[in-house]
């Protein structure tokens, strides 16, 4: 008998019909003599709707009350799914985060899982029950409900799989796997049979919203294989694991992130210590910096540019302006009409020339590059937002046309 964790996202449990479909998948897994733990997200747009409801009443509601509210979404889908399974004649029980043993930090709205005490789940499985658990939530040391951050149900599922040493952790969603590019935008996008944790992590942070980052980090740490698949097509999905098998593929995906802004500090004195001062100020304000570019000193001054998340742009500018004089800078400029386009692939570690190919693709469509950054398995360029789609297309064609 195997232990299988199956997680279903909001679109998979959107309405009664979809819930029945999920109940079908779950019970057929159970019938094959498996122990099944199911983790569910809130139905459809429930979480967004609840946030909107809160805003109507109190725009500055405390995070504790927000979590009290948001955790209700998953309670609805868990109980409804249990009812559907019940009606099909199978033994089932639904559990809230705290009942399932999710012990989290106190950080309302973005709590981290400290530990999962799976004894209750185990007990229920031993009675041959299907166990449905609410994703996205837990309880902190004050006994209050917490939530794990948007998209956190994936992480709930992986945490159960890791704690209980599950044989398989399936993440059912509305796409049927991980693609080489967004399949809604790039018709030639290819579904990957496998992808490594590291590649998936890069893609996840780059805006390929398939899996919650923290779920991939956790899967990597505990070496849990994940399968990303669709609850509608029931086709084989993509397996996320330590090493992908797709050796002949140089890169595994192209991603675009529009949620980004570029900021430059112009004409700072070219002497030691400034980068330290600037970036430690940003860090102390919790502003995450991504690509950094420093020009070479000329006539005693240099420019430092970097990117931040778009919603941090105003705060960043304000902060920099308050130090502009102290630092002796001659100006701050910013632009949020930019996109970051990246290619990710474990294959590039051992193949020179990948960057050149990417730049050639951009050149062929006359796309200008503003900034470049690279890591072992990733190359990112910052370009004009208006060029974004064209750039992804050109790069994707270049690397995947022949595949
Ligand atoms: N319902 C939560 C959200 O919408 C958690 C999840 O779907 O994973 O963010
Ligand atoms: Mg999700």
């Amino acid at each position: 008998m195997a232990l299988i964790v199956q997680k279903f996202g909001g679109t998979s449990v959107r309405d009664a019909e979809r819930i029945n479909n999920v109940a079908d998948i779950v019970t057929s897994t159970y019938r094959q003599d498996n122990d099944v733990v199911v983790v569910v997200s809130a139905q459809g747009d429930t979480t967004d709707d609840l946030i909107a409801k809160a805003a109507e009443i109190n725009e500055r509601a405390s995070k504790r009350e927000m979590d009290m509210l948001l955790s209700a979404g998953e309670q609805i889908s868990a109980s409804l799914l249990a009812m559907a399974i019940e009606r099909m004649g199978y033994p089932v029980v639904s559990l809230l985060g705290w009942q399932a043993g999710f012990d989290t930090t106190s950080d309302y709205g973005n709590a981290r899982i400290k530990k999962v005490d799976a004894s209750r789940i185990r007990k229920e499985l031993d009675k041959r029950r299907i166990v449905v658990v609410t994703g996205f939530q837990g309880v902190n040391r004050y006994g209050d409900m917490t939530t794990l951050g948007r998209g956190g149900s994936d992480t709930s599922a992986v945490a159960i799989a890791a704690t209980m040493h599950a044989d398989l952790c399936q993440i059912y969603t509305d796409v049927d796997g991980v693609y080489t590019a967004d399949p809604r935008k790039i018709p030639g996008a290819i579904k990957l049979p496998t992808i490594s944790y590291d590649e998936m992590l890069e893609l996840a942070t780059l805006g390929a919203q398939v899996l919650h980052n923290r779920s991939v980090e956790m899967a990597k740490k505990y070496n849990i294989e994940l399968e990303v698949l669709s609850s509608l097509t029931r086709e084989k999905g993509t397996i996320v694991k330590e090493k992908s098998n797709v050796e002949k593929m140089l890169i595994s995906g192209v991603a675009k992130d529009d949620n980004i802004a570029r900021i430059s500090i112009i004409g700072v004195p070219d002497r030691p210590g400034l980068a330290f001062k600037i970036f430690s100020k940003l860090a102390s304000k919790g502003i995450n910096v991504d690509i950094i570019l420093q020009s070479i000193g000329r006539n005693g001054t240099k420019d430092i540019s970097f990117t931040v998340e778009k919603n941090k742009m105003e705060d960043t500018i304000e902060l920099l302006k308050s130090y502009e004089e102290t630092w002796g800078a001659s100006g701050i400029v910013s632009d949020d009409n930019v996109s970051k386009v990246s290619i990710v692939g474990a294959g590039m570690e051992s193949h020179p020339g990948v960057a050149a190919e990417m730049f050639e693709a951009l050149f062929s469509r006359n796309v200008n590059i503003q900034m470049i950054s690279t890591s072992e398995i990733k190359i990112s360029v910052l370009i004009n937002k208006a060029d974004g789609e064209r750039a992804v297309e050109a790069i994707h064609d270049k690397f995947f046309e022949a595949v």
Side-chain angles (χ1 to χ4, degrees):
M1 190 185 298
L3 170 61
I4 300 182
V5 176
Q6 297 183 318
K7 181 258 166 178
F8 294 91
T11 44
S12 296
V13 292
R14 191 175 63 193
D15 50 27
E17 191 193 331
R18 294 277 174 95
I19 287 183
N20 284 325
N21 172 57
V22 167
D24 254 352
I25 297 175
V26 170
T27 51
S28 81
T29 311
Y30 174 87
R31 268 199 312 276
Q32 288 155 33
D33 240 0
N34 297 303
D35 279 339
V36 190
V37 180
V38 186
V39 174
V40 284
S41 294
Q43 292 184 281
D45 297 328
T46 302
T47 308
D48 290 328
D49 295 345
L50 290 173
I51 292 172
K53 265 196 174 72
E56 274 175 27
I57 290 179
N58 180 353
E59 296 245 20
R60 305 165 59 92
S62 67
K63 289 184 168 174
R64 181 197 180 276
E65 296 310 327
M66 283 308 287
D67 276 6
M68 190 67 182
L69 177 70
L70 297 191
S71 53
E74 272 68 13
Q75 179 165 357
I76 294 171
S77 44
S79 50
L80 290 176
L81 176 60
M83 291 173 197
I85 294 172
E86 210 170 66
R87 210 208 44 205
M88 292 171 72
Y90 292 84
V92 60
V93 60
S94 66
L95 300 174
L96 293 174
W98 65 269
Q99 294 173 301
F102 275 84
D103 186 357
T104 76
T105 60
S106 306
D107 264 318
Y108 298 108
N110 199 23
R112 298 205 156 240
I113 300 167
K114 289 204 284 194
K115 124 174 163 290
V116 182
D117 171 359
S119 50
R120 172 77 187 271
I121 299 181
R122 185 77 269 162
K123 223 182 281 165
E124 302 292 351
L125 291 175
D126 288 345
K127 292 184 201 154
R128 275 302 280 152
R129 286 183 174 151
I130 294 168
V131 182
V132 182
V133 178
T134 51
F136 179 57
Q137 59 174 254
V139 62
N140 65 17
R141 66 192 166 110
Y142 307 111
D144 287 337
M145 302 281 257
T146 53
T147 64
L148 308 180
R150 297 304 306 269
S153 299
D154 295 339
T155 302
S156 309
V158 177
I160 292 177
T163 307
M164 303 191 74
H165 306 285
D167 299 284
L168 181 62
C169 183
Q170 295 181 309
I171 309 286
Y172 284 88
T173 170
D174 53 350
V175 293
D176 59 355
V178 181
Y179 279 76
T180 51
D182 185 341
R184 287 163 299 189
K185 306 242 166 73
I186 304 288
I190 304 160
K191 185 161 81 183
L192 297 164
T194 60
I195 187 169
S196 68
Y197 296 124
D198 290 333
E199 290 169 313
M200 192 65 233
L201 272 174
E202 291 286 8
L203 286 174
T205 41
L206 293 175
Q209 260 128 24
V210 191
L211 288 172
H212 196 224
N213 269 3
R214 276 157 56 194
S215 72
V216 184
E217 276 165 15
M218 194 184 288
K220 176 178 157 81
K221 183 162 167 201
Y222 296 99
N223 203 17
I224 306 288
E225 279 192 19
L226 304 179
E227 183 179 9
V228 178
L229 69 176
S230 157
S231 58
L232 296 175
T233 66
R234 306 207 184 181
E235 275 170 29
K236 251 184 153 33
T238 299
I239 305 273
V240 189
K241 58 185 193 172
E242 188 55 43
K243 277 219 167 349
S244 91
N245 304 336
V246 197
E247 290 220 26
K248 68 168 190 207
M249 277 197 188
L250 217 46
I251 72 167
S252 56
V254 188
K256 180 163 79 74
D257 182 1
D258 297 334
N259 180 26
I260 193 165
R262 192 196 70 230
I263 295 173
S264 304
I265 310 168
I266 309 291
V268 289
D270 187 19
R271 56 165 196 265
L274 263 175
F276 160 65
K277 285 179 190 156
I278 293 168
F279 292 108
S280 55
K281 284 284 174 296
L282 293 170
S284 71
K285 287 279 184 299
I287 296 172
N288 247 327
V289 170
D290 187 25
I291 308 180
I292 300 176
L293 185 77
Q294 179 179 302
S295 72
I296 205 154
R298 225 187 305 120
N299 304 327
T301 67
K302 63 190 173 191
D303 305 335
I304 297 179
S305 306
F306 55 88
T307 60
V308 294
E309 261 183 48
K310 201 171 255 178
N311 63 10
K312 290 283 160 69
M313 185 171 88
E314 298 303 331
D315 287 355
T316 307
I317 295 173
E318 197 178 311
L319 179 71
L320 294 177
K321 285 232 188 281
S322 69
Y323 287 98
E324 194 179 346
E325 251 171 63
T326 327
W327 291 334
S330 59
I332 315 278
V333 295
S334 63
D335 184 358
D336 64 354
N337 264 314
V338 291
S339 292
K340 181 172 72 168
V341 173
S342 310
I343 57 175
V344 172
M348 65 175 85
E349 268 183 294
S350 49
H351 287 81
V354 176
E357 280 191 58
M358 180 186 190
F359 303 155
E360 188 190 355
L362 293 169
F363 171 58
S364 74
R365 305 275 177 107
N366 212 17
V367 175
N368 188 38
I369 302 173
Q370 301 180 9
M371 293 167 103
I372 302 172
S373 86
T374 64
S375 76
E376 272 166 14
I377 65 164
K378 181 181 78 173
I379 304 171
S380 302
V381 295
L382 196 76
I383 59 175
N384 241 329
K385 191 171 170 195
D387 292 336
E389 306 262 316
R390 267 193 310 139
V392 173
E393 228 173 64
I395 297 167
H396 193 272
D397 279 358
K398 176 108 198 143
F399 285 97
F400 294 104
E401 197 140 59
V403 178

